[in-house]
Amino acid sequence: MTKTSMTQFVSESIDESLMNMNTCLICEVLEVDMNLFKADVLPLNDPEATPILDVPIAFHQTDQFVIQIPYKKGATVLVACSQADIDPLMFGGGKAASRAFSANDALIIGGINYFTKPIQNEHPDDLVIGTKDFATKIVLNEVGEISIKSSKFKVEADNIEFVGGTITANGEDLTTDSV
């Protein structure tokens, strides 16, 4: 084998290995199960791609709290492929396979908004939970204010306590003098 053909062989082998390594993929959600937090997705960058099934949906959570994003069919999502087999973690035990960066170990890590469909962001410096049109939203700003906008605001509680220097509703002062 000549030096040129050996170099070419090594280069082609590396290229082939890298083509089989998945890192991140932009995908379309085909089906979603928001009870089990998993979805079937289709990579959008490869016209010959096959669906990736039962992809876990990652979200912000701890043992006691969760922020849930309600993914729907047709949503565009970012999918990351784990460096190692996730089956033992997801299904509780067992031996990990030796695969790495496989589509079998994909995780939905967030939604993607295309540059061709910009969101008119009214709050670029604030933390916002809301609809994309901002018709319904909770906004926390850096000076400590919280704003809530909704067509209906429902509170269910055993006890509701309002504490403030001035409390108003529809411009009317509801503040009472404490005893």
Side-chain angles (χ1 to χ4, degrees), residues 40-104:
D40 298 341
V41 298
L42 181 66
L44 296 175
N45 62 330
D46 181 0
E48 297 176 15
T50 57
I52 305 170
L53 306 178
D54 298 328
V55 178
I57 298 171
F59 48 91
H60 294 291
Q61 70 167 330
T62 65
D63 288 340
Q64 299 162 332
F65 299 99
V66 61
I67 297 175
Q68 172 186 305
I69 306 296
Y71 291 102
K72 303 282 186 214
K73 182 178 181 176
T76 304
V77 293
L78 181 62
V79 174
C81 296
S82 178
Q83 181 179 353
D85 176 7
I86 64 172
D87 287 348
L89 296 172
M90 295 303 297
F91 298 108
K95 186 176 178 189
S98 61
R99 64 183 183 247
F101 299 108
S102 168
N104 292 324

